[in-house]
Amino acid sequence: QKEVEQDPGPLSVPEGAIVSLNCTYSNSAFQYFMWYRQYSRKGPELLMYTYSSGNKEDGRFTAQVDKSSKYISLFIRDSQPSDSATYLCANAPGGESGAGSYQLTFGKGTKLSVIP
Amino acid sequence: EPEVTQTPSHQVTQMGQEVILRCVPISNHLYFYWYRQILGQKVEFLVSFYNNEISEKSEIFDDQFSVERPDGSNFTLKIRSTKLEDSAMYFCASSSFSLRDGRSFGSGTRLTVV
C-alpha cells in the first residue's frame, strides 16, 4: 500500500527557531524522498531531494531519511517568516536512473507559520 | 527561470459538462503529469505522459479523463462529463529524464463543478 503520513499541524514557531517536520511511510519500494513547499494557491515547489538513506543539507534546510524505520525528516534552521507555507513530503519508488515516469506519493502536508 | 504555466486559473462548470485544462510544460522536459488536490486533502497522482503516450495512471484516472499533447508545447487534461467530486485544484507538472530533478509544478487550475 502506498501511504505517506504527515502530521498536518498547524505548527507555529517564533522567527529564528529550528523547525522539525516529519513523515512516515509504509512502502518499502520507495527510494526517492522529496520535500516540497507549497504556498497558498500555488503549486508545490521542490525543496530537497534525497535518494535512499542518509542526510542532505542545502543552506538552512537538512533532509534526513531513515529507511530502517521508514521515517523522513526536514529541519529548517533559523526559520524566517517567508518559510511560512505547507510542507509536503513526497516519495517515489524505482532505481537510480530513468525514474522520470514514476508517480509521486504525497503526504497531506504540514502547515507551518513562522511568527516574526 | 522557466516555469510550467496553466490556464485557466479558475474554471467553473456545470455538472455533466466537459472541461479541458491546459498546461504548457517546461520546453526541454520529457515527462508530463497531472495531479489533483481536493481541498484539505493530499496531492494525488492522476497520470504521467511520455513519448506521446500514457506511461502510468492511477485508479482516479478513469474513462472520464483523457490527456493529449496536441502540439509541441501544450499538454491538456480533458474531463468528459464532470461530477461534483471532480472539484479540486489540478496541477500540471513536468520533469526531465531523471527524478533527481524533481517535478516542476504549475500554479494549478481550480475547477469548481456546480
Side-chain angles (χ1 to χ4, degrees):
Chain A
Q1 184 182 8
K2 298 177 182 178
E3 282 290 331
V4 178
E5 299 297 329
Q6 269 185 278
D7 183 343
L11 179 62
S12 187
V13 301
E15 183 175 354
I18 296 175
V19 176
S20 173
L21 304 167
N22 307 295
C23 267
T24 59
Y25 66 95
S26 56
N27 188 344
S28 299
F30 287 144
Q31 298 280 352
Y32 294 92
F33 305 93
M34 287 144 280
W35 285 95
Y36 281 82
R37 178 173 60 195
Q38 187 176 24
Y39 292 111
S40 180
R41 300 186 181 278
K42 294 288 187 183
E45 166 196 0
L46 181 66
L47 266 182
M48 300 284 288
Y49 160 95
T50 309
Y51 176 71
S52 195
S53 279
N55 293 359
K56 187 171 186 178
E57 190 171 321
D58 184 3
R60 297 185 294 111
F61 299 90
T62 300
Q64 286 184 352
V65 177
D66 182 348
K67 290 184 72 178
S68 62
S69 58
K70 297 188 176 68
Y71 196 81
I72 329 166
S73 301
L74 177 72
F75 299 96
I76 307 173
R77 289 183 299 281
D78 187 24
S79 55
Q80 303 294 309
S82 58
D83 294 329
S84 299
T86 297
Y87 289 80
L88 312 172
C89 64
N91 302 347
E96 175 64 21
S97 61
S101 65
Y102 294 145
Q103 61 174 282
L104 301 182
T105 300
F106 282 87
K108 202 170 179 178
T110 299
K111 187 170 183 179
L112 171 67
S113 295
V114 181
I115 311 301
Chain B
E1 187 170 329
E3 59 181 22
V4 176
T5 57
Q6 289 186 245
T7 55
S9 57
H10 190 191
Q11 172 114 29
V12 180
T13 188
Q14 289 204 321
M15 192 168 54
Q17 295 296 304
E18 174 184 288
V19 294
I20 298 176
L21 309 183
R22 302 180 191 280
C23 168
V24 179
I26 293 173
S27 62
N28 62 347
H29 281 180
L30 303 174
Y31 294 90
F32 314 111
Y33 316 85
W34 285 99
Y35 286 79
R36 80 170 184 192
Q37 187 175 30
I38 294 170
L39 187 64
Q41 302 298 314
K42 297 181 180 184
V43 175
E44 299 174 292
F45 170 79
L46 292 178
V47 65
S48 59
F49 192 86
Y50 172 70
N51 200 26
N52 286 318
E53 62 182 22
I54 291 173
S55 51
E56 195 171 359
K57 61 183 180 180
S58 71
E59 306 83 31
I60 303 168
F61 194 87
D62 61 21
D63 292 344
Q64 294 298 314
F65 291 89
S66 62
V67 289
E68 201 174 39
R69 189 153 161 82
D71 52 42
S73 58
N74 290 287
F75 180 51
T76 62
L77 174 70
K78 183 193 289 187
I79 308 175
R80 237 179 298 280
S81 178
T82 50
K83 303 187 283 285
L84 293 176
E85 53 265 38
D86 293 328
S87 295
M89 280 290 285
Y90 287 81
F91 293 108
C92 174
S94 66
S95 76
S96 59
F97 182 71
S98 174
L99 186 56
R100 68 181 67 216
D101 297 325
R103 303 278 189 273
S104 295
F105 282 80
S107 291
T109 293
R110 179 171 298 280
L111 176 65
T112 302
V113 182
V114 297

